Amino acid sequence: MLANYHTHTYRCKHAKGEDKEYVENAIRGGIKTLGFSDHCPWIFDGDFKSGIRMDLNEIDDYFKSLSDLRDEYKNDVKIYIGFECEYFPELMEKQDELLINYPVDYLILGQHFNYREPYGPYTGLECDSEQELERYVDLIIDGMSTGRYRYIAHPDLFNFTGNREAYVRHYTRLCKFMKDNNYPLEFNYIGYMDNRHYPDKSFWEIARSIGNKGIIGIDAHYPEMLSDVNGHKEFENFSKSFGLEMLDFLDGLE
C-alpha cells in the first residue's frame, strides 16, 4: 500500500496508541502518504457529550501533534490532517464555523448514524427498514453533493437485512451517483480483518457492475494495522478481485 487516508487517534475514545506510533508503523509498512481522519467533533445543543469522537477541546492538540510529526518525518512520509465526519444538515453551519479556524486538508464521509447523536442507532446494526436504508443513501448523496468530502468511508456500513430488491435498488443508486461524480468507494480494511458485515460482497458486485473506482482505507484504530504488510497484501488481493479501478492516491491532495 502506498497511501492510507483513514487513520484514527486515541482522541476518539475507541482507538489506541500515540500519534507517533501510527506514523512510525506506517513508515515500516511502506506507506508513503498517511492521512489522519479522526472522528470530527460536533457542536451539539445542550450538554450532550459524544463517547465516540474527540472532544472540542482536543482539536488544537490534534493539529499541533500531527503538524509536529509532519515536520519531523517529512523525509519519510507525507502526512495530511483531516477528519471523518457524518453529514447532518442541521449541524453543518456550526461545524463550518468550527473548522474554518483550522488547516483541514480533507474530509471523508463516514455515515455512522442516520440521525445525530443521541437520537439514532449505529447504522452498522442489523436493520430491515427500507426507509432507513433509503435515508442512509440520501444522506450520503446529499453530503457528497456539497463537495465537502473526498470519498465515502465504508459505504456498505448500513447493515440492511430486509428485502433484497430494495438493497440492490438503493445501493445501485448510491454507486451510480459516485461514478457519475468521479468519487471513489472505500474498501474497508478493519471490517475485512475483523470479519464484520462489511466489506459486503453483494455491495461490491453492484459497484463492479456500475464501474466504480475503489480505494483502500485501513481505518486504523491501533498503530500496528499500518505495518501489517501481509494483511495489506491479502486485502489488496480481495479488493482487486472485484475488478474495479483502484486508486493509490486521492486526486487533488498529491
Side-chain angles (χ1 to χ4, degrees):
M1 286 189 63
L2 298 177
N4 173 60
Y5 300 94
H6 196 167
T7 311
H8 294 279
T9 76
Y10 67 88
R11 297 171 186 82
C12 72
K13 306 177 182 64
H14 58 279
K16 298 179 180 179
E18 296 300 318
D19 299 342
K20 190 168 188 173
E21 294 179 278
Y22 283 90
V23 174
E24 292 182 344
N25 273 272
I27 294 168
R28 281 197 290 273
I31 292 173
K32 303 302 182 184
T33 294
L34 180 64
F36 282 89
S37 50
D38 209 359
H39 293 283
C40 188
W42 289 101
I43 300 176
F44 294 109
D45 297 328
D47 59 358
F48 174 76
K49 185 175 180 179
S50 174
I52 58 165
R53 59 187 78 246
M54 75 169 69
D55 295 334
L56 291 169
N57 61 10
E58 293 179 301
I59 300 180
D60 288 345
D61 178 68
Y62 179 66
F63 278 93
K64 175 66 165 61
S65 173
L66 298 182
S67 295
D68 289 348
L69 289 168
R70 179 163 55 193
D71 292 339
E72 181 179 353
Y73 291 94
K74 64 184 178 183
N75 295 324
D76 302 299
V77 64
K78 186 178 292 185
I79 294 176
Y80 290 104
I81 308 171
F83 290 107
E84 179 185 14
C85 311
E86 293 79 13
Y87 178 69
F88 299 127
E90 68 274 20
L91 296 181
M92 303 316 297
E93 183 177 354
K94 288 184 178 180
Q95 187 182 74
D96 285 342
E97 292 172 355
L98 170 68
L99 297 184
I100 198 172
N101 298 313
Y102 296 95
V104 180
D105 291 321
Y106 70 103
L107 301 176
I108 59 177
L109 176 59
Q111 198 69 31
H112 302 90
F113 303 94
N114 274 353
Y115 308 89
R116 65 182 182 88
E117 298 165 77
Y119 301 118
Y122 173 53
T123 49
L125 298 177
E126 290 187 356
C127 177
D128 62 3
S129 168
E130 180 181 352
Q131 181 179 358
E132 290 304 315
L133 174 60
E134 182 177 16
R135 179 177 175 83
Y136 173 79
V137 171
D138 285 346
L139 283 169
I140 290 176
I141 289 175
D142 289 348
M144 295 302 298
S145 295
T146 67
R148 300 168 67 91
Y149 311 96
R150 294 284 180 162
Y151 71 74
I152 311 172
H154 37 62
D156 43 351
L157 176 63
F158 194 95
N159 194 1
F160 186 64
T161 57
N163 179 270
R164 173 66 184 176
E165 181 182 339
Y167 177 99
V168 172
R169 182 170 65 256
H170 289 294
Y171 271 137
T172 295
R173 185 163 59 92
L174 174 59
C175 290
K176 284 183 176 179
F177 169 85
M178 294 295 284
K179 177 179 171 55
D180 289 346
N181 290 276
N182 200 33
Y183 288 119
L185 298 165
E186 182 197 77
F187 281 93
N188 189 269
Y189 177 81
I190 196 174
Y192 176 85
M193 298 304 289
D194 286 356
N195 294 311
R196 300 180 185 179
H197 66 279
Y198 62 93
D200 186 323
K201 291 183 178 180
S202 296
F203 174 87
W204 291 103
E205 289 294 346
I206 294 171
R208 185 216 301 263
S209 70
I210 299 299
N212 289 100
K213 295 179 181 179
I215 189 168
I216 289 176
I218 293 179
D219 200 354
H221 281 73
Y222 53 90
E224 294 76 15
M225 293 179 68
L226 295 168
S227 57
D228 182 12
V229 176
N230 290 333
H232 297 173
K233 187 62 179 177
E234 177 185 340
F235 189 56
E236 282 182 310
N237 290 336
F238 168 80
S239 304
K240 290 177 180 177
S241 70
F242 292 92
L244 277 65
E245 178 186 348
M246 297 296 294
L247 303 181
D248 290 320
F249 299 101
L250 280 176
D251 294 339
L253 279 181
E254 302 301 325

